[in-house]
């Protein structure tokens, strides 16, 4: 089943677009998003969802990219083996447990 389905896209009143995606992430990245949501919630003084944290992270990355160096001065590319997390390999159940503890602040 290689059928690709284009996710629905909606225009929002503020001139942006909303698109629903399903992504597969390592537990460490989910934990980082939880930490980002916590920081954002403290800054905004209200609860923040992981969706909002992802949107904030993407907007921040876009703003940083706007200030990038000219094409001739790009930083060296990351090696294919480099990943977002540099934690040692652990069983998936242990990764999940630790990520959930970090999200809940009990780690």
């Amino acid at each position: 089943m290689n059928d690709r389905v284009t996710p629905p896209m909606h225009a929002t009143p503020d001139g942006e677009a909303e698109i629903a995606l399903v992504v597969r992430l390592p537990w460490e990245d989910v934990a980082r998003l939880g930490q980002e949501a916590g920081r954002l919630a403290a800054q905004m003084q209200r609860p923040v969802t992981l969706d909002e944290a992802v949107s904030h992270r993407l907007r921040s990355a876009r703003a940083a990219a706007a200030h990038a160096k000219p094409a001739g001065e790009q930083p060296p590319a990351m090696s294919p083996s480099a990943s977002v997390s540099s934690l040692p390999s652990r069983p998936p159940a242990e990764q999940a447990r630790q990520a959930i503890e970090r999200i809940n602040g009990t780690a």
Side-chain angles (χ1 to χ4, degrees):
M1 301 203 107
N2 289 333
D3 296 335
R4 298 282 178 175
V5 177
T6 303
M9 193 177 315
H10 305 283
T12 60
D14 59 2
E16 295 185 343
E18 181 177 287
I19 185 168
L21 301 172
V22 175
V23 295
R24 293 177 55 139
L25 299 171
W27 282 107
E28 287 86 1
D29 294 342
V30 174
R32 284 188 182 89
L33 286 173
Q35 291 170 343
E36 177 79 17
R39 284 190 294 273
L40 195 54
Q43 180 182 5
M44 299 176 85
Q45 298 185 353
R46 67 172 180 80
V48 174
T49 64
L50 288 181
D51 290 351
E52 289 177 283
V54 170
S55 292
H56 182 263
R57 173 72 55 98
L58 289 172
R59 283 186 176 92
S60 298
R62 184 177 66 200
H67 298 91
K69 296 178 181 178
E73 300 178 35
Q74 293 296 326
M78 290 177 58
S79 67
S81 63
S83 69
V84 173
S85 60
S86 59
L87 297 174
S89 180
R90 296 183 313 278
E94 178 67 13
Q95 291 177 4
R97 184 187 64 73
Q98 289 181 350
I100 291 167
E101 286 176 353
R102 277 190 229 120
I103 291 169
N104 292 333
T106 58

